[in-house]
Amino acid sequence: MASEESSQNVLEWVQNDKHRFLHAVYRVGNLERTIKFYTECFGMKLLRQRDIPEEKYSNAFLGFGPEESHFVVELTYNYGVDKYDIGTGFGHFAIATEDVYKLVEDIRAKGGKVTREPGPVKGGTSTTVIAFVQDPDGYIFELIQRGPTPEPLCQVMLRVGDLDRSIAFYEKACGMKLLKKKDNPDYKYTLAMMGYAKEEETTVLELTYNYGVTEYTKGNAYAQIALGTDDVYKSAEAIRIVIQELGGKITREPGPIPGLSTKITSFLDPDGWKVVFVDNADFLKELQ
Ligand code: CO
């Protein structure tokens, strides 16, 4: 059991650790179909792809820039599984673009499904134009109009049962900052944007609390986000401390992945959302 002083030290260390959003991992029913949709409709690039027949799966990484500096998606295809349940807890990913109207028209022309036509955000005073589209597996992508940005893949939205608990958890365990908190009583939800830099310049975790809703289904489609850290062992120590206070669970003790030498640790947040911490230096080596 850690002493109070060493607990304090490791929690302070988290605030100075070098964190970054690396990728979001989720399952798709047809890898080629999703690659085609993301490259043609969203303008993503296929960054790497590998097939692991011994374990009966393949994966593909796509994004708007190299993994060394960008948040990307990691798609997993499990042999023979063509359909997944997305559940009620997963919200959406988001893509920032300079012209939502044009992007929506392009997506529609290529057969994409538009679930919310472009227009200003409802409720509140924001004039930001957004739209929602659905990918071939049913994952929702929010399209957000903003000026040129270094990180077009800009949100992962997850629903949570207690917003303040989640904010405290991601601040303390992951070193995120609360970038924005907004209550929207007309539509009965509150959201919090959590991240490591300004909302317009980086990927954020958008947490949504719907009034009175504390439980969601997780389904089996969305898997996790991966974050970079300089030290998975210290990160795991901090997570363990925060879990005692706020809930959650370590699902993989810190250490190298067998056969790959990349050091990781993983855990569930208080709502059961999975996060993987990946050693920053190992991750860069893996990309070479
Ligand atoms: Co959003």
Side-chain angles (χ1 to χ4, degrees), residues 51-62:
D51 187 30
I52 300 109
E54 315 85 71
E55 294 177 40
K56 298 194 167 60
Y57 78 93
S58 13
N59 61 10
F61 292 75
L62 292 106

Side-chain angles (χ1 to χ4, degrees), residues 152-188:
L153 189 60
C154 60
Q155 293 179 352
V156 177
M157 193 282 255
L158 303 175
R159 300 185 176 95
V160 298
D162 179 337
L163 194 58
D164 288 327
R165 177 181 67 182
S166 298
I167 292 169
F169 185 91
Y170 282 98
E171 281 176 340
K172 288 184 183 178
C174 302
M176 291 187 190
K177 305 268 181 298
L178 175 61
L179 305 171
K180 184 167 90 187
K181 188 178 176 187
K182 213 178 112 195
D183 188 29
N184 199 332
D186 291 347
Y187 290 85
K188 297 191 167 56

Side-chain angles (χ1 to χ4, degrees), residues 89 158-171 178 181 189-192 194 205-216 218 245-248 269-273:
L158 303 175
R159 300 185 176 95
V160 298
D162 179 337
L163 194 58
D164 288 327
R165 177 181 67 182
S166 298
I167 292 169
F169 185 91
Y170 282 98
E171 281 176 340
L178 175 61
K181 188 178 176 187
Y189 71 85
T190 311
L191 62 81
M194 308 291 302
L205 185 59
E206 175 181 4
L207 302 172
T208 300
Y209 169 71
N210 290 302
Y211 292 8
V213 187
T214 55
E215 298 270 353
Y216 293 95
K218 292 285 178 312
E245 183 196 340
L246 299 168
D269 80 359
D271 289 277
W273 293 115

Side-chain angles (χ1 to χ4, degrees), residues 92 94 132 142 144 155 157 193 206:
H92 55 257
F132 285 97
E142 180 180 9
I144 304 175
Q155 293 179 352
M157 193 282 255
M193 301 293 188
E206 175 181 4

Side-chain angles (χ1 to χ4, degrees), residues 220-232:
N220 58 2
Y222 169 82
Q224 68 216 35
I225 51 168
L227 304 172
T229 172
D230 274 348
D231 188 332
V232 295

